[in-house]
Amino acid sequence: MPTPKDILGHLHGGRVLDVATGSGNFIHFLLDALPASTEIIGVDSNPRAATAFAEAFKDRPNIHFELEDALHLSFDSHSFDLVCISNSLHHFDDPLPVLRQMKRVLRPGGHLLVSEMYRDGQTETQMTHVHLHHWWAAVDTVNGIVHRETYQRRELVEMVAGLGLEMLTLHDLSEADENPKDPEILTELDPVFARYIQRAEGHPALQARGEELRQRVLDIGFHSATTLIALGEKPNE
Ligand SMILES: C[S@@+](CC[C@H](N)C(=O)[O-])C[C@H]1O[C@@H](n2cnc3c(N)ncnc32)[C@H](O)[C@@H]1O
């Protein structure tokens, strides 16, 4: 599997934006490849993300959080060297305006990165992750939260290719060599099952689906679905 350095090692860092950053998970991936001096701004529209983000990067003064709507970024055009979005495109009704905002704030010659899991071509154990994701999406949807099912790989490639970037590279990341029935997996997933089954209150079919998926983790096992990382360069205008 390609490492962060294989994918990003040729970039010099500079000023980086991570859109829909949540608690900043993807920034750890970036830090494995980019120079320590890189300034990273994580933005998210959920104020609760700010607390977890601040805790995760409390010792990194050059990494900070700003409350922003990805559809209306307040940053100047051409003001970042690298703009990323990870595992979030399926959290928007229409991800294209977000991608266009990301391209707008990127300087010519800068890089745009999309990292997103996809649903096709997965093994049975990875399909457990895909089914889980789709169950979370269904539970969020009945609670009025925008959360779509995951995309097909082809759809993601088409979306990024449509942005008119240059030197587009595609990397497929999977960790399917780990033990799919490691008891640690259920220990980690159990509180998530509990939370989502509670959120599905009043929707017995959704609650039953959660119980079935919990059993599937035991019977079939779990691997993270393959993630596509697409990286391209913004042309000079
Ligand atoms: C699954 S999380 C991904 C977090 C992180 N990027 C990661 O890879 O772990 C999706 C994030 O999208 C954020 N989000 C959804 N709509 C948004 C919007 N309009 N503007 C900014 N962030 C948004 C949510 O608050 C959530 O933190």
Side-chain angles (χ1 to χ4, degrees):
M1 178 168 90
T3 65
K5 268 213 178 332
D6 294 334
I7 300 169
L8 299 171
H10 59 296
L11 304 186
H12 73 279
R15 191 165 185 246
V16 175
L17 181 67
D18 184 37
V19 174
T21 193
S23 55
N25 272 344
F26 189 67
I27 292 176
H28 298 289
F29 181 92
L30 296 175
L31 289 174
D32 281 345
L34 299 177
S37 59
T38 304
E39 180 194 358
I40 305 180
I41 301 174
V43 294
D44 202 284
S45 57
N46 183 351
R48 274 178 301 169
T51 315
F53 187 102
E55 176 58 27
F57 301 107
K58 59 176 187 275
D59 300 325
R60 306 292 297 246
N62 50 348
I63 301 178
H64 63 273
F65 181 93
E66 290 186 25
L67 200 61
E68 289 263 343
D69 180 355
L71 290 158
H72 305 280
L73 293 176
S74 68
F75 303 103
D76 289 342
S77 298
H78 307 173
S79 58
F80 287 93
D81 298 285
L82 169 66
V83 182
C84 313
I85 189 162
S86 157
N87 278 329
S88 298
L89 289 184
H90 65 285
H91 286 264
F92 295 88
D93 273 330
D94 179 3
L96 280 181
V98 177
L99 291 169
R100 289 197 199 104
Q101 278 288 308
M102 290 171 61
K103 189 178 173 196
R104 177 185 68 75
V105 300
L106 189 62
R107 69 165 171 82
H111 289 81
L112 190 146
L113 183 155
V114 169
S115 173
E116 184 89 1
M117 68 173 267
Y118 53 89
R119 68 170 188 264
D120 52 322
Q122 309 287 344
T123 64
E124 267 304 280
T125 48
Q126 289 179 306
M127 279 311 291
T128 303
H129 188 197
V130 173
H131 291 313
L132 262 176
H133 232 93
H134 293 180
W135 174 58
W136 294 330
V139 173
D140 280 343
T141 301
V142 296
N143 284 293
I145 298 167
V146 177
H147 194 165
R148 303 164 49 129
E149 294 201 344
T150 53
Y151 289 101
Q152 291 185 26
R153 187 181 189 280
R154 174 187 52 79
E155 295 175 297
L156 294 171
V157 173
E158 280 173 11
M159 245 184 257
V160 181
L163 294 172
L165 303 170
E166 291 176 342
M167 316 272 286
L168 189 63
T169 55
L170 303 174
H171 307 268
D172 294 90
L173 273 57
S174 71
E175 291 170 349
D177 51 351
E178 288 165 11
N179 174 11
K181 294 192 178 176
D182 184 342
E184 276 290 300
I185 295 172
L186 203 56
T187 309
E188 275 179 35
L189 283 176
D190 253 345
V192 185
F193 277 116
R195 196 164 68 242
Y196 270 84
I197 286 172
Q198 197 203 353
R199 280 194 204 170
E201 211 174 300
H203 302 274
L206 276 180
Q207 289 187 314
R209 196 162 142 202
E211 297 295 356
E212 281 162 24
L213 283 170
R214 192 176 182 284
Q215 193 58 41
R216 182 186 167 108
V217 174
L218 292 169
D219 295 343
I220 293 179
F222 173 98
H223 276 132
S224 291
T226 306
T227 289
L228 177 72
I229 294 198
L231 180 72
E233 198 173 309
K234 179 171 171 175
N236 287 314
E237 289 160 334

